[in-house]
Amino acid sequence: MDTVLHVALGADLLGVFFFAVSGSLLAARKGFDLVGSLLLASLASLGGGVARDLILNVPPAAFTNPVYLVPPLLATVLVYFVFSRVERGMRVLVVFDAGGLALFCITGTLKALDAGLHPVSAALLGVTTAVGGGLLRDVVANEVPQLFDPRDIYALPAMLGSVVVTVLYLTGTFTLVTGTVAASLVFSLRVLAWRYGWHAPLAVRTPDARSPGVGGGR
Amino acid sequence: MDTVLHVALGADLLGVFFFAVSGSLLAARKGFDLVGSLLLASLASLGGGVARDLILNVPPAAFTNPVYLVPPLLATVLVYFVFSRVERGMRVLVVFDAGGLALFCITGTLKALDAGLHPVSAALLGVTTAVGGGLLRDVVANEVPQLFDPRDIYALPAMLGSVVVTVLYLTGTFTLVTGTVAASLVFSLRVLAWRYGWHAPLAVRTPDARSPGVGGGR
Amino acid sequence: MDTVLHVALGADLLGVFFFAVSGSLLAARKGFDLVGSLLLASLASLGGGVARDLILNVPPAAFTNPVYLVPPLLATVLVYFVFSRVERGMRVLVVFDAGGLALFCITGTLKALDAGLHPVSAALLGVTTAVGGGLLRDVVANEVPQLFDPRDIYALPAMLGSVVVTVLYLTGTFTLVTGTVAASLVFSLRVLAWRYGWHAPLAVRTPDARSPGVGGGR
């Protein structure tokens, strides 16, 4: 149990950092300034966890432990000094976003299970935590969220990861090793889906829905 | 009282289903995939209720009772198999959205009154519940929310419904019958307003504000 | 302490009114109707405080005290009857928004300190309260938030104000006078930054990032 808690805290902070970098990279692509970069990094990295904690009715970690502010600050500085080529931003953004997605679906599900939620609800909250920050990031930056991009899959790996973690937890086989394997699986699936354009069927069965739909909606 | 609770639960689930269909239909129009359809259906149908429960400081129903996940799943499947003609989506979308609006303003107001809120606050929370899910749905899909469309009226029927339910509740005349009448009234007003373009005065009195305002803002 | 509470309540309601006017003015610019004006005023003026109260786990003031509904109603009426020249809206909007920003960073930080939050977390919650309502307002109206506009500074004055209030509070020197000075400082910095185009460095160091970034993102 102690291991679970430590894995959860470490993974949570690492996930916060990954999403924070994705926020600062999007700020760079949109031409925002350093303050906007810090705010978008904070929203992307802390928004999902705050939503999770509000739903669990526990004090949001981001507002009780100031250490959660370090990752967004680091990300803002890192993007400012390291990523000077804005045009390469999307590839790096997707990779960091995938890292946050992988860690948050696991930590979110674990926190929900520890709080005694029904397994189905816990998996749902894990997915909410994982996709919430990135959704907020894209919405406030006035972009169609990556989450809804039909050209690859985004939420499916997080759903899979949340279910896997729930099963591991219920069967008493969640360990540092199995948790790491689950996170790696989610991360790999998301990055491969993006790289090779794996996609799910569209919301309607109309044969020619994809082209006009995307053309009209974007 | 028992009747009130049953009406509230049944009406809540039906309202969830109506908003879920509106979410999946918008996903279809925007060219999202099946996973995006499920997520937009979930956000549209569960978002308003989660906000309501967080404000009332009770555990959000969507995260404590897995039955709330059934309507979004059903809606996603229904839209995939039944609504293959995307171009007809808007009319159906408005009708389902109006159904959710009608039921949520009533269930939201009732839950708030049961929780002991001031009648004015209860009516406000009913309206928030009713318009919240549809607002989230439109915002994350990067659309100007239906709520703000000046060509018809959207929130006014929900406001009326919340006030009517508050009065019925306070006078002890809320029953299955009067509740159903109130919901039908909200639904009919919203659909008729959309069909016949009933609209409210603009936010400013400038005689020619409508044309440039709409032209610039959209 | 009593003075602190009175300052906080009065300033809170005044801040609500300022943000409400900014919401109604944006509704006017976007061509929304009177109901949309009332709703955008309510969201802009009450959204940040509701988020703050949810994070502090206290009942949201907007839903427990109906007096909070008066400012949005007043703002809607004021904008309808007074601001008939929509094209002058942006200047007035920025000034009212700056008034809300100045008061909310102070009242938000004070409420968080009174609730016993860590000083760093209290300052963070003050900034969240201050920028939250305006962010919601711009996002639901489908605009790139003022918060992220790289042509001037928006959040920096609020951050400064929250830190100043935290220091005043911790050193026991927060009074009606010092609080008013702090609010005036935040307001002046924000309005001057907007008027003279003071801006922060961009999120990346690329020399020519500003022009293509802004061009692409807007």
Side-chain angles (χ1 to χ4, degrees), chain B residues 121 142 145 150 201 203-206, chain C residues 31-32 34 63 80 83-84 140 142:
Chain B
S121 302
N142 212 358
V204 281
R205 286 193 307 166
T206 320
Chain C
F32 295 167
L34 268 178
F63 287 96
Y80 182 73
F83 297 101
S84 48
V140 304
N142 212 358

Side-chain angles (χ1 to χ4, degrees), chain B residues 54-55 57 117-118 120-121 124-125 128 139 142-145 147-148 150 152 155-156 200-206 213 217, chain C residues 27-37 39-40 54 57 60 62-64 66 69 79-81 83-84 86 139-140 142:
Chain B
L54 290 179
I55 288 168
N57 204 19
L117 254 65
H118 187 286
V120 173
S121 302
L124 176 67
L125 193 55
T128 304
V139 165
N142 212 358
E143 303 255 296
V144 175
L147 182 59
F148 294 123
D152 55 38
L156 220 49
L202 288 188
V204 281
R205 286 193 307 166
T206 320
Chain C
R29 288 187 62 232
K30 302 283 287 189
F32 295 167
D33 62 26
L34 268 178
V35 181
S37 179
L39 291 170
L40 199 55
L54 289 180
N57 204 18
F63 287 96
T64 49
L69 300 183
V79 168
Y80 182 73
F81 283 108
F83 297 101
S84 48
V86 181
V139 165
V140 304
N142 212 358

